[in-house]
Amino acid sequence: MSMPTPLSNMQTRDMASLIHPFTDLTLMRQTGPLVIERGAGVFIYDTEGKDYLEAMGGLWCTALGWGEEALVEAAAEQMRKLPFAHIFGGKSHEPGIALAEKLKEMAPFPVGKVFFANSGSEANDSQIKLMWYAANARGENRRKKIIARERAYHGVTLASASLTGLDAFHKSFDLPFDFTVRAACPHYYRSAENGESEAEYGARLAADLEALILKEGPDTIAAMFTEAVMGAGGAIVPPAGYHRQVAAMLRKYGIRLVDDEVICGFGRTGHAFGCQTFDYQPDSMTVAKALSSAYLPISAVLLSPELTEIIEAEATRIGGLWHAFTYSAHPVAAAVALRTLELYEQRDIFGHVRKVSPLFLERLRALAGHPLVGEADGVGLIGGIELVADKKSRRNFEAARGVGAASARFCQEEGLVVRPLASDRIALCPPLVIGEAEIGELFDRFERGLDRTLAWARGEGLV
Ligand SMILES: Cc1ncc(COP(=O)(O)O)c(C=O)c1O
């Protein structure tokens, strides 16, 4: 790694005042943070003017890339007209109404109504509360457990962090809450048995899920949360047929399927929603991130007509739905989100993903030939790469050696932003507007970062 340079004024100010999440604080005290000043298209620029190809779309979210004037205009126009209004106490406003209508029109399953929040975590917390609310309304008071998978990521608020299936998010936080039931992570590379086909593996997971449901008691389980492709858990593509079988199993036992489309929603996997790419039907869906191309915070819960009816009947009976946020359906965020969804359509962004995805996946899968890479796979414009100490036995590096994090730092020095995840997996999730030449540049920079990681690992005696 390059020698640390003296910290800039901005870095010093940062370190005196900001708490940094998801960060190796010991390392950052030496290197200082990377302070970003501006962005254009798929590139961001630091305060020294160095460019970085942003291969994570920020945090899996900046779908239209940086500098999209149409969104700036939508925000400015709405700010001038009505910068704030709420939907409590029987009030409403046009941006909220229009966005709810648009989401209903785009949804790949019948949607009754839409509930708005400000982040993926808030929306998923709302989902849990609404699932309990609906179960109680039906007199199914025992249905309190929620199934989520190992390595799932559903957010960081108390309830959503409980569903998140990564130890780091529980340690020292007294989590998870005990309503959480853990199912297996569908990772063929890591957990298929010798000689097992993908289809057989998927069928085994569905059978295991049924055993889990029966052990817990079907009438004690309100819902299961899934992501089409697991994002923060490792950018893990599930085996063929898995989601369809899981959905069928849940239906059999009257357990609702909550589809967390916070990353996969809006074109990421090549169709508008991940559940279309993987062919399953949820009862309820969470969207956020690319909903507004991340230009403003907004998220939504899309409820089936049946759930909508149950929830509204209960709210009528007890005198109101006592759950919402000050900024639910914030008019400026809603106006920007609506404009984002219009741009996806007008520019056929999801078609563009399907057009450039073959090149992205070809370059991604070619990485499997690299001495450090155990698995490299993806779908649409999302990919996961697992670095291993030994390709043949698939042995991981010791977590404490931080090989994945080191590779992300080498990539950063090469002008590429990627995200290191648990088990030395590296995620790629570039803005959906990325062009073919930029995809080439992304992988050229990534390969240079990987080669430097290999040289470093050899020097450290890790391989
Ligand atoms: C699938 C998924 N669900 C929920 C969340 C939480 O969203 P937020 O960070 O907006 O709370 C994330 C964030 O990365 C996510 O990837």
Side-chain angles (χ1 to χ4, degrees):
M1 220 126 308
S2 309
M3 289 300 287
T5 47
L7 297 184
S8 70
N9 178 34
M10 190 87 81
Q11 287 175 317
T12 311
R13 281 170 52 205
D14 171 285
M15 288 164 68
S17 52
L18 268 179
I19 289 189
H20 281 275
F22 295 60
T23 299
D24 177 341
L25 294 175
T26 310
L27 182 70
M28 202 190 71
R29 280 184 197 110
Q30 295 157 27
T31 61
L34 174 65
V35 184
I36 302 302
E37 194 168 74
R38 66 189 180 90
V42 300
F43 288 93
I44 55 171
Y45 300 84
D46 67 18
T47 43
E48 309 295 308
K50 177 176 159 76
D51 68 83
Y52 302 84
L53 199 158
E54 231 298 4
M56 275 305 292
L59 290 172
W60 329 76
C61 52
T62 320
L64 292 171
W66 280 261
E68 179 49 70
E69 277 301 319
L71 298 185
V72 178
E73 275 310 307
E77 206 177 294
Q78 185 59 43
M79 278 259 185
R80 282 189 204 102
K81 191 169 165 191
L82 182 70
F84 180 74
H86 62 81
I87 56 169
F88 286 40
K91 299 190 178 59
S92 195
H93 53 72
E94 213 247 335
I97 297 165
L99 181 61
E101 285 173 348
K102 186 74 192 161
L103 285 170
K104 283 183 64 170
E105 177 198 312
M106 286 182 77
F109 71 110
V111 170
K113 293 192 184 181
V114 177
F115 173 87
F116 286 110
N118 309 290
S119 68
S121 302
E122 276 182 9
N124 280 337
D125 261 38
S126 302
Q127 289 273 21
I128 296 168
K129 287 179 73 179
L130 292 174
M131 293 303 138
W132 287 341
Y133 196 82
N136 291 336
R138 286 163 51 110
E140 298 182 323
N141 300 29
R142 276 162 52 80
R143 282 196 193 269
K144 293 289 142 62
K145 295 178 192 166
I146 311 274
I147 303 175
R149 299 167 303 166
E150 300 286 350
R151 301 186 75 138
Y153 189 84
H154 296 298
V156 296
T157 44
L158 286 170
S160 68
S162 294
L163 299 189
T164 290
L166 298 159
D167 290 344
F169 293 86
H170 302 152
K171 215 189 288 178
S172 303
F173 284 121
D174 293 358
L175 290 174
F177 286 156
D178 62 9
F179 63 76
T180 310
V181 174
R182 205 58 77 190
C185 163
H187 191 188
Y188 182 72
Y189 172 76
R190 274 286 155 214
S191 35
E193 282 163 7
N194 246 346
E196 197 174 34
S197 72
E198 255 193 63
E200 287 163 347
Y201 174 57
R204 176 160 65 83
L205 290 179
D208 288 351
L209 177 65
E210 180 163 37
L212 180 71
I213 292 170
L214 292 173
K215 180 173 124 287
E216 295 290 336
D219 63 341
T220 67
I221 305 171
M224 175 165 175
F225 277 58
T226 61
E227 294 164 81
V229 175
M230 284 183 145
I236 295 167
V237 182
Y242 161 83
H243 278 297
R244 254 199 330 275
Q245 294 181 74
V246 166
M249 198 58 75
L250 298 177
R251 208 168 308 120
K252 181 172 168 187
Y253 292 103
I255 298 167
R256 299 190 192 280
L257 174 51
V258 178
D259 184 26
D260 183 342
E261 296 265 356
V262 168
I263 287 178
C264 294
F266 308 109
R268 179 55 59 191
T269 62
H271 293 95
F273 297 96
C275 67
Q276 294 169 298
T277 303
F278 291 91
D279 191 22
Y280 62 97
Q281 281 260 317
D283 297 292
S284 172
M285 182 185 276
T286 300
V287 292
K289 295 193 190 277
L291 170 57
S292 63
S293 191
Y295 276 46
L296 282 174
I298 184 165
S299 62
V301 169
L302 279 56
L303 295 163
S304 69
E306 187 227 355
L307 275 167
T308 305
E309 204 180 306
I310 296 170
I311 289 165
E312 290 207 324
E314 181 69 354
T316 308
R317 189 181 73 79
I318 65 177
L321 177 67
W322 302 103
H323 176 78
F325 307 96
T326 299
Y327 303 127
S328 284
H330 190 289
V332 183
V336 168
L338 185 62
R339 192 74 192 102
T340 303
L341 301 185
E342 287 166 359
L343 293 178
Y344 290 154
E345 266 174 19
Q346 286 162 12
R347 299 178 186 170
D348 188 21
I349 297 293
F350 309 157
H352 171 78
V353 174
R354 288 192 291 277
K355 182 167 155 280
V356 300
S357 163
L359 174 65
F360 175 82
L361 295 176
E362 186 191 316
R363 291 287 307 260
L364 173 69
R365 290 180 181 137
L367 295 171
H370 192 277
L372 276 184
V373 175
E375 187 197 24
D377 198 12
V379 58
L381 280 177
I382 183 169
I385 299 135
E386 185 157 331
L387 307 183
V388 290
D390 181 51
K391 281 167 82 97
K392 204 149 169 269
S393 67
R394 304 185 176 185
R395 180 169 57 83
N396 280 121
F397 290 102
E398 270 176 55
R401 302 311 298 258
V403 175
S407 80
R409 287 197 299 279
F410 285 120
C411 286
Q412 188 170 301
E413 288 179 12
E414 292 297 328
L416 181 72
V417 176
V418 298
R419 175 98 179 265
L421 303 169
S423 310
D424 295 320
R425 288 186 69 84
I426 310 294
L428 301 178
C429 190
L432 301 182
V433 294
I434 192 167
E436 292 191 338
E438 291 163 334
I439 289 175
E441 186 63 32
L442 186 166
F443 285 100
D444 290 350
R445 293 184 187 196
F446 190 75
E447 284 167 7
R448 291 201 291 274
L450 213 47
D451 286 342
R452 288 180 61 189
T453 311
L454 179 62
W456 166 81
R458 284 189 174 134
E460 297 284 309
L462 296 171
V463 285

